[in-house]
Amino acid sequence: GVQAASVGDTVWEDTNGNGVQEAGESGVANVTVQLLNGSGAVVATTSTGATGVYQFTNLLPGNYSVKFVKPAGFEFTKTKVGSNAGLDSDHDATTGIAGPFAVKPADAITSIDAGLYRPVSLGDFVWDDSNGNGQQDPAEPGIAGASVQLLDGSGAVVATAVDRKSTRL
């Protein structure tokens, strides 16, 4: 008979958003993971365990894909970063699907993984600090149309926003 194969790995929280699973970045539990056959139909569904690990076992040879279902509050991280297939994120950032890939008899594929991050937001208010005290006082108006840039650690602009409000928050 044909020896069954398996596919699995980890869904982890990519806390620094670099697309590589590193020490201190924990697995994400209870993430739904689907196994798709060569036609794209779901043939099995599982969830990640407490450490973010999932596995599909007793697979027959063939072509498969894995679909990671993004949990609420998370986004997919960068994919295919670095040279270690066991530590990168393999899914398509839009669909959550990794693959297709071929599974041969007795394969134990342990490199189909996904990184997730929790998006954050920041912002406040731009105002005319007419008395120069560094605090927005009740009589100090907001400045509509002020452009604000977000810089990364190296000083590169990663986002620009325009303050469209002109009243105190």
Side-chain angles (χ1 to χ4, degrees):
V2 176
Q3 290 182 307
S6 65
V7 171
D9 202 358
T10 306
V11 177
W12 85 94
E13 186 171 358
D14 189 13
T15 55
N16 64 2
N18 69 353
V20 177
Q21 184 179 12
E22 298 161 317
E25 293 181 330
S26 302
V28 180
N30 302 315
V31 175
T32 300
V33 185
Q34 299 172 327
L35 182 69
L36 312 177
N37 65 16
S39 301
V42 176
V43 295
T45 300
T46 191
S47 294
T48 57
T51 61
V53 173
Y54 76 94
Q55 186 175 40
F56 295 104
T57 58
N58 298 319
L59 303 180
L60 296 176
N63 291 319
Y64 294 93
S65 296
V66 171
K67 180 175 183 176
F68 300 96
V69 179
K70 182 175 54 178
F74 286 92
E75 295 294 331
F76 288 121
T77 192
K78 299 174 186 175
T79 59
K80 303 290 184 187
V81 175
S83 58
N84 187 335
L87 297 177
D88 71 346
S89 203
D90 299 299
H91 56 78
D92 177 275
T94 303
T95 65
I97 297 174
F101 49 89
V103 174
K104 297 186 260 344
D107 270 355
I109 299 172
T110 59
S111 61
I112 310 298
D113 42 12
L116 301 168
Y117 70 92
R118 298 173 205 252
V120 296
S121 63
L122 58 98
D124 202 355
F125 191 69
V126 178
W127 80 95
D128 179 5
D129 188 15
S130 57
N131 64 4
N133 69 353
Q135 298 177 3
Q136 185 181 10
D137 299 315
E140 293 175 333
I143 301 174
S147 179
V148 179
Q149 295 179 326
L150 177 65
L151 310 178
D152 66 13
S154 65
V157 176
V158 295
T160 300
V162 177
D163 184 347
R164 290 180 170 72
K165 296 181 180 180
S166 60
T167 58
R168 180 175 169 79
L169 294 178

